[in-house]
Amino acid sequence: MPNESPPGLSPAEIQTLTRVAAVMVPADTTLAVPSAGDPAIIADMVGSLGRDRADVSAALAALDAMAGGSFAAITDDARAEAMAIAFLAREGRPATILGRVVLQCYYRDDRVIRSLGLEPRPPFPKGHTLEQGDWSLLDGVRTRAPFWRDDRRA
Amino acid sequence: MAGNEMVDVLIIGSGASGAAVAWSLADTKMRILCLEQGDWMKPTDFPSNGRDWEARRYTDFDISPNRRARETDYPINDDNSLMKVANFNGVGGGTILYTAHWPRMHPSDFKVKSLDGVADDWPIDYWALEKYFAENDRMMGVSGLAGDPGVPPRHPPMPPIPLGKTGTRYAQAMNKLGWHWWPSDVTVASQDYEGRAGCINLGHCTPGCAQGAKASVDITYWPQAIRAGVELRSRCRVREITTNAQGMATGAICYDAEGVERFQPAEMVILAANGIGTPRLLLNSASGRFPNGLANSSGMVGRNLMLHPWPQVRGYVDEPVDGDRAPMTVLWSKQFYETDPSRDFVRGYTLQFARGTGVVNEAITSAAVGRLPWGKAHHQAYREKLYRRLQVGVACEDLPEAHNRVTLDPLLKDSHGIPGARIDYTLSENTRRMMEHGIARATDILHAAGAKDLYTSRTILNSPGHLLGTARMGTDPERSVVNEWGRSHDVKNLFIVDGSVWVTGGGVNPTSTIQAVALYIADQIKARLATLFD
């Protein structure tokens, strides 16, 4: 967790965010990926919250309330995961936004991207290569008679 | 109030239709001014320049004006509509944030009353627009393949974009089913074209193209129009169109880039503000002479809103395909486009075959519909989805209905205090049946393609955002807002050139036809200059 509270979330909120993110997307040693509660990923979330801050705060407050005070204080991973899943299954904007904020930062972390066999970079300027595909598949369609409805013959 | 110099032609809105009409009218040598409430876009603004490119689709490049909420956007209350609104406010308008899919309306789409006994015929037909479609294809730069038996002949100036792995998979499935398919026409340059480099596959085209391979009118029509003498003022938001005692438009009251209220006088006014922006402006221009809104003696301003319901079915195949590493649209099918008496609905739909989605969006969109677990099961489930998605959209024709409408919202206002819009929209029984038919066929296709874990979205978020029909064209002033060449029945020097004038909507992405209609109206204006306001 970052030592200082970046603008936007309080230290307590960052604790809750770290705990819930870590159970939403846990670390996997086989895949060599961190959890979403990794300090660098949390720092990205907190630093890029922008207009989502209020909804994320509302989600974290709701999680704390579900936990009877502090979600971060739940030491049992299975219980924390079950509670997080129950919360995220709720209808409503705060849960949706919390899920999006966690995922959009997790899946742009260099370690995660590399573990997927991808290059950590923006699309521009290198772009991607797109193969032509099999154009011979069109041969049969080309021989079909026109079937659009010609209003001049109606 | 500060005043500006008189212009001959005032165009409100710089998007698809405003750009086309400005370019076409430039050869008259009239003094033409276009006012645009948003900004010019710079290539470096677009999300694909940065690592957060997918996340920005949910913030400053969101297709919903309500979530994007830039200072240059205006709010639209869409609470009473299953379908949400998409647009963009800036130079280029909706072409900045469109998918670049480029089908045309079909000939039958202009004759739905004559052919199928529903809604109304247009007062013009496909063949009146044919040369404008072709001219527009050259101006925008279209990649595609001639010879499609599903549509009238057309000759795209560039070859089609590659099928890729995803297109090949779809094509195999369609051949197995014996159904029509064809590579989609798109306004993405497949090779160097008029100063635009061939596409290098930066990813899906919707949130703007950093390399300029996608045609948006800020890089196609506008540079040519400006070189020909048209003036475009960005960050100028029009509040209302003014009229005189004779009921003629005199210009517009607007707010300039510094927020100063100004009067812009003009000999004629052309509205090009889209199917919500145009009725909003007409309704905000109510006066003692026009108490129900300008040009609204018919009561049709704002009515007959058409949005193109667009269910989508997606599934996952057993090997990686293209994902978001190419333009999104790859094929279309016209197999179910025309009316078939054996079905339980009239009219039809285009099937639009899309590539998959990106690393972040796969996670977000799957989690949002409960198809990506949280916790220990997350990683395996995610890796079984990444770059394996196929998704087939069903572009349905929704027929015009008067109760589907745009009005002014009593509470919402934009950053200049101008009332925002409200939409009320419901799906008809005919549309619902069409949607279910399309969903069933899309499901058949995905099964034939070997896809599993199918998921259907009946109204996908904010898609497609086609805004049509709210100031319809017609010969009867009691049932339409503009005549067959775009002039208001009520205000003889007021024209509308955007999707508002559509009588019916077809089952296609509309930008190609919107621009063809705008070019047609511009030619009508030029042909009648001596008697234009009679």
Side-chain angles (χ1 to χ4, degrees):
Chain A
M1 186 190 310
N3 292 328
E4 293 185 0
S5 168
L9 291 184
S10 70
E13 286 176 317
I14 293 172
Q15 280 190 330
T16 302
L17 177 63
T18 301
R19 183 70 177 121
V20 71
V23 295
M24 288 166 71
V25 186
D28 188 312
T29 51
T30 310
L31 298 170
V33 290
S35 81
D38 175 86
I41 297 171
I42 290 294
D44 185 13
M45 287 182 214
V46 176
S48 61
L49 271 180
R51 64 182 71 181
D52 294 326
R53 183 202 174 283
D55 286 310
V56 169
S57 286
L60 299 175
L63 277 163
D64 282 340
M66 282 177 77
S70 171
F71 184 85
I74 300 174
T75 53
D76 179 347
D77 281 353
R79 182 169 167 247
E81 181 180 317
M83 196 175 289
I85 289 171
F87 173 73
L88 291 160
R90 287 181 180 178
E91 297 277 331
R93 187 177 165 89
T96 301
I97 300 292
L98 176 64
R100 174 166 61 74
V101 164
V102 168
L103 292 169
Q104 74 190 18
C105 292
Y106 185 76
Y107 282 107
R108 67 187 182 208
D109 179 84
D110 285 3
R111 294 161 293 177
V112 177
I113 292 294
R114 286 200 180 93
S115 83
L116 295 169
L118 304 172
E119 192 181 356
R121 63 171 175 87
F124 187 82
K126 281 178 74 173
H128 300 283
T129 300
L130 178 63
E131 66 181 53
Q132 275 296 328
D134 183 2
W135 285 105
S136 71
L137 290 164
L138 195 58
D139 292 348
V141 189
R142 288 178 192 272
T143 63
R144 186 169 172 176
F147 65 96
W148 53 276
R149 203 172 175 191
D150 190 340
D151 58 321
R152 297 167 300 185
R153 293 202 296 262
Chain B
M1 186 191 315
N4 291 348
E5 287 185 31
M6 171 74 87
V7 297
D8 297 313
V9 182
L10 174 63
I11 300 170
I12 301 171
S14 71
S17 63
V21 79
W23 170 80
S24 179
L25 291 179
D27 60 25
T28 64
K29 305 302 179 191
M30 291 191 288
R31 182 169 180 187
I32 301 170
L33 170 66
C34 177
L35 300 181
E36 166 56 52
Q37 64 192 319
D39 295 304
W40 279 96
M41 304 305 294
K42 298 191 293 289
T44 50
D45 291 338
F46 290 123
S48 56
N49 287 283
R51 291 289 301 279
D52 58 350
W53 84 94
E54 292 186 271
R56 290 180 69 191
R57 297 180 68 164
Y58 298 93
T59 55
D60 59 335
F61 279 84
D62 199 310
I63 58 175
S64 162
N66 298 325
R67 287 197 306 275
R68 191 172 59 237
R70 294 181 180 222
E71 188 184 16
T72 48
D73 288 314
Y74 57 90
I76 300 171
N77 179 347
D78 54 15
D79 291 346
N80 193 34
S81 172
L82 275 177
M83 295 186 63
K84 303 306 176 186
V85 169
N87 70 12
F88 190 75
N89 297 300
V91 177
T95 65
I96 300 295
L97 295 191
Y98 75 149
T99 60
H101 201 218
W102 207 246
R104 301 175 181 180
M105 290 261 282
H106 288 216
S108 66
D109 293 329
F110 297 86
K111 300 277 182 67
V112 301
K113 181 74 171 179
S114 301
L115 295 174
D116 296 322
V118 293
D120 287 297
D121 289 351
W122 287 53
I124 57 175
D125 63 19
Y126 178 91
W127 310 105
L129 297 178
E130 190 178 31
K131 71 173 183 178
Y132 302 105
F133 278 121
E135 181 174 45
N136 193 47
D137 284 359
R138 288 191 298 274
M139 285 296 293
M140 294 294 280
V142 176
S143 298
L145 185 66
D148 184 349
V151 301
R154 80 273 183 271
H155 301 281
M158 286 179 278
I161 56 173
L163 287 177
K165 289 186 171 69
T166 306
T168 297
R169 192 106 185 192
Y170 284 134
Q172 289 165 337
M174 294 300 277
N175 286 353
K176 193 186 299 182
L177 293 165
W179 291 346
H180 167 264
W181 64 276
W182 201 259
S184 289
D185 287 5
V186 293
T187 53
V188 175
S190 59
Q191 60 189 31
D192 292 358
Y193 185 84
E194 299 289 333
R196 286 154 54 199
C199 175
I200 58 171
N201 304 302
L202 295 180
H204 287 182
C205 309
T206 304
C209 181
Q211 69 149 133
K214 180 178 93 168
S216 46
V217 296
D218 57 326
I219 62 170
T220 57
Y221 276 103
W222 275 116
Q224 295 197 44
I226 290 169
R227 277 198 294 275
V230 177
E231 182 184 358
L232 195 168
R233 278 184 215 146
S234 58
R235 281 269 179 173
C236 285
R237 172 175 272 153
V238 173
R239 187 182 76 200
E240 63 183 277
I241 297 165
T242 53
T243 52
N244 61 19
Q246 288 72 46
M248 299 287 278
T250 55
I253 297 172
C254 59
Y255 297 94
D256 68 15
E258 285 72 46
V260 176
E261 184 180 322
R262 291 184 170 277
F263 174 59
Q264 176 59 60
E267 297 288 352
M268 63 184 278
V269 175
I270 298 177
L271 266 170
N274 82 40
I276 289 182
T278 285
R280 175 191 179 221
L281 188 47
L282 291 171
L283 295 172
N284 272 324
S285 301
S287 63
R289 187 180 180 89
F290 299 101
N292 298 319
L294 192 59
N296 195 23
S297 66
S298 64
M300 288 291 111
V301 168
R303 293 193 180 272
N304 303 302
L305 174 67
M306 294 172 282
L307 295 171
H308 283 154
W310 202 282
Q312 191 180 74
V313 185
R314 68 185 190 230
Y316 295 87
V317 292
D318 57 359
E319 62 178 357
V321 284
D322 299 329
D324 68 339
R325 296 166 291 189
M328 183 166 78
T329 55
V330 53
L331 312 179
W332 67 38
S333 172
K334 300 295 185 177
Q335 184 70 35
F336 306 102
Y337 193 85
E338 306 287 3
T339 293
D340 178 347
S342 71
R343 301 191 300 228
D344 62 354
F345 59 91
V346 292
R347 311 298 303 151
Y349 54 86
T350 299
L351 289 167
Q352 182 173 316
F353 298 78
R355 298 185 208 270
T357 193
V359 173
V360 168
N361 274 308
E362 182 59 67
I364 290 174
T365 56
S366 290
V369 296
R371 296 298 181 105
L372 181 63
W374 302 106
K376 290 186 178 65
H378 177 89
H379 292 292
Q380 183 180 345
Y382 176 77
R383 284 160 198 254
E384 288 171 358
K385 292 179 183 296
L386 180 63
Y387 291 147
R388 293 168 189 237
R389 185 191 289 201
L390 303 182
Q391 47 194 15
V392 180
V394 185
C396 294
E397 173 171 3
D398 49 342
L399 293 167
E401 297 178 277
H403 60 266
N404 287 334
R405 64 186 301 198
V406 178
T407 54
L408 298 178
D409 189 84
L411 300 175
L412 297 175
K413 292 183 170 38
D414 66 23
S415 58
H416 290 93
I418 305 169
R422 169 194 164 101
I423 65 168
D424 293 89
Y425 179 88
T426 58
L427 297 169
S428 73
E429 188 57 32
N430 189 71
T431 305
R432 288 184 186 278
R433 290 175 181 168
M434 187 187 302
M435 290 168 66
E436 294 308 315
H437 189 275
I439 288 167
R441 300 295 78 73
T443 301
D444 292 340
I445 293 164
L446 289 176
H447 283 148
K452 294 184 169 56
D453 192 19
L454 269 53
Y455 176 82
T456 298
S457 172
R458 282 176 167 71
T459 53
I460 59 173
L461 188 64
N462 297 322
S463 188
H466 301 159
L467 313 172
L468 306 168
T470 51
R472 67 200 320 226
M473 173 184 274
T475 54
D476 181 354
E478 293 187 0
R479 300 185 62 240
S480 57
V481 178
V482 298
N483 68 11
E484 65 274 24
W485 40 280
R487 190 182 75 176
S488 159
H489 291 301
D490 298 348
V491 182
K492 304 295 186 193
N493 62 342
L494 174 66
F495 292 77
I496 303 175
V497 297
D498 57 51
S500 305
V501 305
W502 286 33
V503 180
T504 55
V508 294
N509 309 63
T511 308
S512 169
T513 308
I514 285 174
Q515 290 185 298
V517 170
L519 292 172
Y520 159 81
I521 293 173
D523 257 12
Q524 295 293 313
I525 291 172
K526 288 189 284 190
R528 301 164 194 264
L529 278 179
T531 58
L532 195 58
F533 307 147
D534 290 350

